[in-house]
Amino acid sequence: MHPAIPDEFLDLMAEKFRMLADPTRLAILRALMGGERNVSRVVEETGRNQANVSKHLKMLADAGLVARRKEGLQVFYRVDDPLVERLCKLVCETIVQEAEQEVERHRTLLSGWSKASP
Amino acid sequence: MHPAIPDEFLDLMAEKFRMLADPTRLAILRALMGGERNVSRVVEETGRNQANVSKHLKMLADAGLVARRKEGLQVFYRVDDPLVERLCKLVCETIVQEAEQEVERHRTLLSGWSKASP
DNA sequence: TGACTGAATAACCGATCTGGAATATAGTTG
DNA sequence: CAACTATATTCCAGATCGGTTATTCAGTCA
């Protein structure tokens, strides 16, 4: 029912996840989710320096997550894999939910404490 | 419309993805998706050695993706985060789709070639 | 052509990650 | 108690990663 998955396939999966496993790349993707952007604009919106952004953009492009378009001096990038938005959305929601649960847990702990020690 | 996301939140997201960004951990999770398993069984099903599996299981447990249950000499693990299956499913589907598109692309290239050179 | 701009690359370094071997721990059984 | 089993931990080497600085490349414009 649950046959093992060939290593080659696991590597492909891991690579997809690895691309999303870095805060700078996530920030870049977030910027690109606002629409196509040139490198300078991504630099502004992410607060990272230019060399760094260029390097990560290359990784993302090599992995096929973003597409490149050259126009004169500038280079424009855009998200090019529908997976990106869906994965990020799922994870975001989960983190928010976990945070809410944590708040709720504290609330109940606190109420128990206030009852237990009047 | 698309405000920047605080680095602290990006770090949380990256950490989730990082846990899934390794073939061995994916193999382990795959095994656990078949139901609760003790370490030895995970070792068998993944083909990795024991120390390695134990180490990765600890990471997954610390990250809250799997849960631990001790029973005598053995320790049983199970998937404990609904996110895992959903993320993996999405990525798997995408990879399969990409592979299919690749095949299709080759097919059309090939047909064009056979027409062009009779 | 030369000056200028936006982007990519190279070189370097510290940090982190992975796997393997050896060792340690916890629990069972005789 | 000692021997054994299942799991965890430690230590190590090699690889990869991420950020920074400096440099290079490509394209524009005077």
Side-chain angles (χ1 to χ4, degrees):
Chain A
M1 3 196 101
H2 269 268
I5 297 184
D7 276 10
E8 190 185 342
F9 195 86
L10 293 177
D11 288 342
L12 286 176
M13 292 184 64
E15 201 207 320
K16 291 270 183 200
F17 284 123
R18 198 156 41 78
M19 278 303 120
L20 299 177
D22 176 82
T24 297
R25 280 193 293 274
L26 289 175
I28 291 173
L29 289 170
R30 168 68 171 184
L32 296 183
M33 284 181 202
E36 200 184 44
R37 301 265 190 277
N38 66 7
V39 177
S40 303
R41 174 124 180 233
V42 175
V43 168
E44 286 175 23
E45 294 192 12
T46 59
R48 270 77 175 180
N49 72 34
Q50 182 261 320
N52 203 359
V53 167
S54 268
K55 211 167 20 169
H56 284 293
L57 278 171
K58 177 173 167 49
M59 288 191 211
L60 291 170
D62 287 345
L65 299 190
V66 306
R68 234 179 80 109
R69 180 174 67 86
K70 207 164 180 179
E71 186 180 311
L73 262 184
Q74 309 183 43
V75 177
F76 289 84
Y77 287 87
R78 62 180 185 280
V79 178
D80 193 38
D81 187 331
L83 188 62
V84 172
E85 299 218 25
R86 295 207 284 166
L87 287 179
C88 289
K89 193 152 168 280
L90 260 183
V91 171
C92 282
E93 286 169 359
T94 301
I95 291 176
V96 170
Q97 280 173 21
E98 286 173 359
E100 284 169 354
Q101 285 169 16
E102 188 70 1
V103 170
E104 191 52 35
R105 200 174 62 79
H106 286 171
R107 198 196 311 283
T108 54
L109 281 179
L110 201 57
S111 76
W113 174 79
S114 67
K115 278 185 202 161
S117 59
Chain B
M1 6 197 98
H2 269 269
I5 297 184
D7 277 9
E8 189 185 343
F9 194 86
L10 293 177
D11 288 342
L12 285 177
M13 293 185 65
E15 201 205 321
K16 291 269 181 200
F17 285 123
R18 198 157 41 79
M19 279 302 121
L20 299 176
D22 176 81
T24 296
R25 281 195 292 277
L26 289 175
I28 290 173
L29 288 170
R30 168 68 171 184
L32 295 182
M33 283 182 203
E36 200 185 44
R37 301 266 190 277
N38 67 7
V39 178
S40 303
R41 174 124 180 235
V42 174
V43 169
E44 286 173 24
E45 295 192 12
T46 59
R48 271 76 174 180
N49 73 36
Q50 181 262 319
N52 205 356
V53 167
S54 268
K55 224 179 339 186
H56 283 294
L57 278 170
K58 177 173 167 49
M59 287 191 212
L60 292 170
D62 287 346
L65 299 190
V66 306
R68 234 179 81 108
R69 181 175 67 85
K70 208 165 181 179
E71 186 180 312
L73 260 184
Q74 309 182 44
V75 177
F76 290 83
Y77 287 88
R78 64 179 184 280
V79 178
D80 193 38
D81 188 333
L83 188 63
V84 172
E85 300 219 23
R86 296 207 283 167
L87 289 179
C88 289
K89 192 152 167 282
L90 261 183
V91 172
C92 282
E93 287 169 359
T94 300
I95 292 177
V96 170
Q97 282 173 20
E98 286 173 358
E100 284 168 354
Q101 286 170 16
E102 189 69 2
V103 170
E104 190 52 35
R105 200 174 61 79
H106 286 168
R107 198 196 313 281
T108 53
L109 282 179
L110 199 58
S111 77
W113 175 80
S114 66
K115 277 184 203 162
S117 59

